[in-house]
Amino acid sequence: TVHVDGRAVKSCNVLAVQMAGAEVTTIEGITPAEGMHPMQAAFKACHGLQCGFCTPGMVMSAIDLVQHHPHATDTQIREGLEGNLCRCTGYHNIVRAVLAAAGDEVSA
Ligand code: FES
């Protein structure tokens, strides 16, 4: 999952040519040189970090979600992240992390 002009998009669902002129941001692009993005920090603080396969997508989707729905409920967060699948664990701490980050007014 990457951000295309500020919206979370699954990179496997778009063609490179469709990105002409668009601003594409990866998980590396939201991470400051020192420290973490507030959403990354919230995932860490709430034990929402899972594996390196699913966590970047969760974080990128969560940032988009909070930016466009800053007062999302638990249910709305679960619905907003439903395209990000993890077969290993649960989503409880991820939802806690998104709620915590929303309280910190997460920005890109
Ligand atoms: Fe990443 Fe399950 S912890 S896919």
Side-chain angles (χ1 to χ4, degrees), residues 49-55 85-89:
L49 293 169
Q50 300 186 165
C51 79
F53 187 73
C54 63
T55 298
L85 303 178
C86 167
R87 294 181 178 186
C88 312
T89 63

Side-chain angles (χ1 to χ4, degrees), residues 6-23:
R7 296 305 308 243
V9 172
K10 291 184 177 132
S11 59
C12 57
N13 287 342
V14 294
L15 300 173
V17 69
Q18 293 175 288
M19 298 300 99
E23 181 177 315

Side-chain angles (χ1 to χ4, degrees), residues 8-106:
V9 172
K10 291 184 177 132
S11 59
C12 57
N13 287 342
V14 294
L15 300 173
V17 69
Q18 293 175 288
M19 298 300 99
E23 181 177 315
V24 179
T25 306
T26 65
I27 187 77
E28 291 82 5
I30 60 103
T31 308
E34 301 291 330
M36 293 181 277
H37 183 283
M39 186 64 75
Q40 293 171 311
F43 269 62
K44 180 181 178 187
C46 296
H47 303 287
L49 293 169
Q50 300 186 165
C51 79
F53 187 73
C54 63
T55 298
M58 295 280 190
V59 169
M60 296 301 276
S61 295
I63 291 170
D64 180 356
L65 178 69
V66 170
Q67 286 177 334
H68 293 93
H69 304 284
H71 306 293
T73 64
D74 183 291
T75 300
Q76 290 169 323
I77 291 169
R78 290 178 186 277
E79 290 173 356
L81 298 178
E82 69 182 0
N84 297 84
L85 303 178
C86 167
R87 294 181 178 186
C88 312
T89 63
Y91 296 87
H92 181 72
N93 287 345
I94 292 171
V95 173
R96 284 183 53 230
V98 177
L99 287 167
D104 290 339
E105 298 179 14
V106 172

